Amino acid sequence: MSHQLQDYNPSGVGQVNGNLLGLPFDYESAKLIVFGVPWEVTVSYGAGTANGPQRVLDASTQLDLFDLDNPDGWKQGIFMVEIPQDILEKNAYYRDRAAEIIQRLEQGKPLTATPDLTPVLTEINQACQQVNQWLFEKSKEAIENGKRVAAIGGDHSVPLGYYQALALSYPNFGILHIDAHADLRDAYEGFEFSHASIMFNAMKLPQISKLVQVALRDISHDEVQTIDQSNGRIVAYYDPVIKQKLYSGMAWVEICREIISHLPEQVYISFDVDGLDPKLCSSTGTPVPGGLELEQAFFLFRELVHSGRKIIGFDLCEVGDAEWDGNVGARIVYKLSNLMDLSQQS
C-alpha cells in the first residue's frame, strides 16, 4: 500500500476502485474507516435513503482532493468498508412490513385489529436492533484498532450502535446535530429504533453530556417539552430563530460561537442532510423548506475546530437516491473527514 501511495497522484483522475474518492487505502493503512449502513426501514415519508451510501460512494470519485482547511487531509487514509448487501436486502423486506404498520396507524386503527400486526412490529424492532449491534461491533473493533470511524446512512436511525461504541471510549462527549427534525420522539409509530427517535435513544447514554441541535424547523409539542425540561442537556437552535437573528444583522460567526460554547471538548457531529436547504438534498426522506446553506454548516464546523474542540466522529444520514444528493453528501463526508483529522492534530 505504501508503494501505491508513493505512485498516487491526488490531482489525477478519480479511480473507481470501490473506495471513497478512489483513494489508494485499505482497512489496515487507513486512519479513518467509513461504514455505509443501507437501512431505512422506519422512514415515514419518502424512501430511497437506503441507497444513500452507494450514491455518496459513486459521486465521490468526481471530487477534487484539495481541501482549503486541510490540503493534505486525504493522506490520513480514508477507507470505506464494502456496503453490506445482506443489510440492504433485509431493509427491502422489513421496509414493506413497516409500511403495513404505518398505513394502519394513519387509518387510526389499532395494530391489534385483524390481521394483528403487533408480532410484525416486534420483528421489525428486533431487525433494527441487529443492525445497531452490527455497527456497534464494527465500530468498537475499529476504535480498538486505533482507527477513527464515520457512518453513512440510510435513515437517521443508523448511527446508534456507533454512539454506543464511542461511549465505551469517551466518558463525556457532546453531539452537534444538524437536522430539520429534533428526532426526540419515544418509539415513533411504535418503532423503538425509528429515524425519528435517534436522539431520544442517544440521550439514554449518560456519556453524552450535551446535545446541541441546529436548524430545527419541523418539530412536535412533545419534543419541545423534552428540550425545555432537559435542564440544559439539550440546546435547540430553531431555524426560524436563527434566520430572525441573521435578518436582524447578527453575524453568523457570533451565532456559531454561541452554539459551540454549549459543547464539551469532545464533539461528535451528526448531520442529517435535511438540515440543509432542500435545494441541496431534494431527494432526502423528509425535506423541509428553510435550513442551512452548505457553507454555513462548514463554517460552523470550522469554528468548532478553531475553538480547540476535537471532532471524535461523525455520521451523515438521509442522503436521497439521486446523483445530486450523492454529490452533496460526498462533499460533506470529505469535509468532515478532513476537519476531524485537523481537530486531532493539535
Side-chain angles (χ1 to χ4, degrees), residues 169-212:
S169 297
Y170 295 95
N172 171 25
F173 67 99
I175 294 180
L176 176 57
H177 175 207
I178 311 296
D179 205 322
H181 311 90
D183 294 344
L184 287 166
R185 294 173 181 267
D186 181 0
Y188 184 56
E189 297 177 325
F191 302 120
E192 186 182 351
F193 302 107
S194 168
H195 65 107
S197 304
I198 179 64
M199 293 306 163
F200 179 87
N201 290 327
M203 290 289 91
K204 293 175 185 175
L205 294 168
Q207 294 90 339
I208 300 173
S209 56
K210 279 279 184 175
L211 171 62
V212 180

Side-chain angles (χ1 to χ4, degrees), residues 248-260:
S248 301
M250 192 171 181
W252 180 233
V253 64
E254 289 178 56
I255 298 170
C256 288
R257 286 172 184 168
E258 186 191 310
I259 290 167
I260 291 161

